[in-house]
Amino acid sequence: MGRSGRGPVKRGVSEFVDILEGYDFFRWSREHMTATTNLMLALAVATLFITWYQLPVLVPSGDSAGRYLVYLALLLFGISAVLFAVFRAVLYFIEHLMDQSVNEAEGVSGAPRKGMRGKSREEVVDSASSRLQRSIGLWWRARTLAIRSAPLMIPAVIFYLLGIASLVIFLVAFR
C-alpha cells in the first residue's frame, strides 16, 4: 500500500512541474538573453580595458579636446559594463527562483513518511498544498522579474554604442 499511495503523488507532482515548465515562456528567451548578456558584458569590459590601456597612445598629453572624447567613451563603456553585470545578476536570480520553485514542488512527493505519522489526512494535504502554493509563488515572482528586468538591456546597449561612437568621432576628427 505504501508504494501505491506514492505513485499517484509522484505522477501528480511530475505533471505539476511539467505544467510549470510549460508555462515558462521565457526559458528560451532567458537562455538566449543570458548568452547575449555574457557576450556583451565581455565585449564591454574588453573594450573598456583596451581603450584604457591604449589611452596614452590614443591621446598625447597636449591634446585636450580629444582626451574628453576618449574619457567619455571610457565612462560610457564602464556604465554599459555595470548595466550588463546587473542584468546578468538578475538573470541568475531568476534561474535560482525557477529552480527553487521546481524543487519546492518536487519536495511534495519526497516528503518523509515518518514526519507524516500522527497527522491527519487534512494536515498532510494542507502541507502539500502550501508547498505547491509556495512553488507557484516563486515561479510567478521569477516570471514577473524576467518581464520587468528585460528593458535594462536597452540602456546598456545604448551606452555601449555611444562609447563606440565617441571613439569613432575621436579617431575621425583627431587622428
Side-chain angles (χ1 to χ4, degrees):
M1 175 152 173
R3 287 213 177 268
S4 64
R6 289 186 95 175
V9 172
K10 282 190 177 184
R11 195 176 23 217
V13 168
S14 176
E15 289 174 8
F16 180 78
V17 169
D18 289 342
I19 289 170
L20 279 180
E21 290 176 352
Y23 279 103
D24 184 12
F25 299 118
F26 296 100
R27 178 170 302 282
W28 180 84
S29 297
R30 275 194 327 271
E31 290 170 357
H32 284 77
M33 282 193 307
T34 300
T36 302
T37 304
N38 289 342
L39 175 69
M40 289 303 297
L41 178 60
L43 194 60
V45 169
T47 310
L48 176 69
F49 284 132
I50 289 170
T51 305
W52 181 261
Y53 179 73
Q54 292 296 320
L55 188 63
V57 176
L58 286 172
V59 184
S61 61
D63 190 11
S64 64
R67 179 175 300 168
Y68 291 121
L69 279 174
V70 175
Y71 286 141
L72 176 65
L74 285 171
L75 176 69
L76 292 170
F77 291 143
I79 292 171
S80 175
V82 167
L83 289 175
F84 282 125
V86 167
F87 187 68
R88 182 62 183 101
V90 169
L91 288 173
Y92 175 78
F93 186 65
I94 289 169
E95 286 300 320
H96 175 71
L97 285 175
M98 294 300 283
D99 291 342
Q100 197 175 6
S101 171
V102 169
N103 290 341
E104 190 74 31
E106 288 175 342
V108 171
S109 65
R113 288 268 189 203
K114 292 179 184 176
M116 297 298 156
R117 286 187 188 159
K119 291 187 176 183
S120 67
R121 185 175 291 203
E122 291 81 22
E123 290 173 330
V124 172
V125 169
D126 285 345
S127 173
S129 173
S130 67
R131 288 188 83 163
L132 292 176
Q133 286 175 353
R134 278 194 306 268
S135 173
I136 292 170
L138 289 169
W139 177 85
W140 186 257
R141 189 176 306 148
R143 181 183 182 280
T144 304
L145 188 58
I147 292 170
R148 290 183 179 168
S149 65
L152 187 61
M153 286 284 282
I154 295 169
V157 171
I158 289 172
F159 282 124
Y160 183 77
L161 293 176
L162 287 173
I164 294 291
S166 294
L167 279 181
V168 168
I169 291 170
F170 167 76
L171 291 174
V172 169
F174 295 100
R175 293 303 292 193

